[in-house]
Structure formats: C-alpha cells, structure tokens
Amino acid sequence: NQLLFAICYYCIMLFVAENRSPWAALTCCVVFGSSAVLVLRLDLFLSKHIFRRVICVILVGPISVMLKLTVELVTVPQVAILDLVVPLVFGLHAGWIYYMIQLAKA
C-alpha cells in the first residue's frame, strides 16, 4: 500500500505541477487509491464500518494534496490554511501505519 501511495504522489506531482492537468492527477488518485483498497480488502477481513473509515483515510491524503496543488496552480496562494495540508497528510499516513500495526497485533 505504501508503494501505491508513493506512485500516487509522484503522479500528482507530475500531472499537476509539471503538466498542469489536474484531471489526470485525480484519475491516478482514484486508480491507485482503489488498488490500495482492493489490496487491503484481500489482506484483511474488516467490518463494514471500519472498512469505510479505512477507505476515507486512504483517499483523503492524495486527493487533498491534489486539490492543494490545483488551487496553487490556478490562484496565487494567499491563504495559510493550504499549508496545513502537508502535516495533515503526514498525520494520516502515520495514523495508517499505526492502525495497521494494531491490526497486526490482534
């Protein structure tokens, strides 16, 4: 799953920052996010409630980074709240790793 996240962030950087095409980046986010969800579904047996929460954690990080880069691409970033996206994404990934460790202990 971490490799899928890394490829997703690379595609976001490539499509949004260099090629200025956020729709292609969104498509890559959805494809790699769906792949991560499918790998998770194959590896773990989770209840529907926990699985929905995990899907949100998986997809919020890449989509928020893509939206931040798109807003910076379209407008001059004057809002400091956009700078909170990076710590949010790092926190989501740290929480994801912690959650997987807790599931591995059970």
Side-chain angles (χ1 to χ4, degrees):
N1 276 344
Q2 296 305 102
L3 178 63
L4 289 170
F5 285 131
I7 293 171
C8 183
Y9 289 124
Y10 175 74
C11 288
I12 290 171
M13 185 272 310
L14 181 71
F15 286 124
V16 175
E18 293 183 10
N19 294 336
R20 297 179 185 261
S21 58
W23 288 108
L26 179 64
T27 304
C28 286
C29 285
V30 170
V31 168
F32 290 124
S34 299
S35 299
V37 168
L38 289 175
V39 168
L40 179 72
R41 182 82 172 184
L42 289 172
D43 286 343
L44 299 172
F45 180 72
L46 301 172
S47 68
K48 289 183 181 182
H49 178 67
I50 294 174
F51 192 68
R52 286 185 193 130
R53 195 178 325 157
V54 166
I55 289 174
C56 289
V57 169
I58 286 175
L59 294 179
V60 164
I63 290 176
S64 62
V65 168
M66 193 235 9
L67 289 175
K68 177 191 182 299
L69 287 175
T70 304
V71 168
E72 285 183 355
L73 178 72
V74 173
T75 62
V76 177
Q78 297 177 357
V79 181
I81 198 160
L82 292 176
D83 294 332
L84 297 175
V85 171
V86 174
L88 171 73
V89 170
F90 279 114
L92 284 171
H93 284 292
W96 170 252
I97 291 171
Y98 177 75
Y99 188 68
M100 286 295 112
I101 290 171
Q102 293 301 318
L103 283 177
K105 287 182 181 179

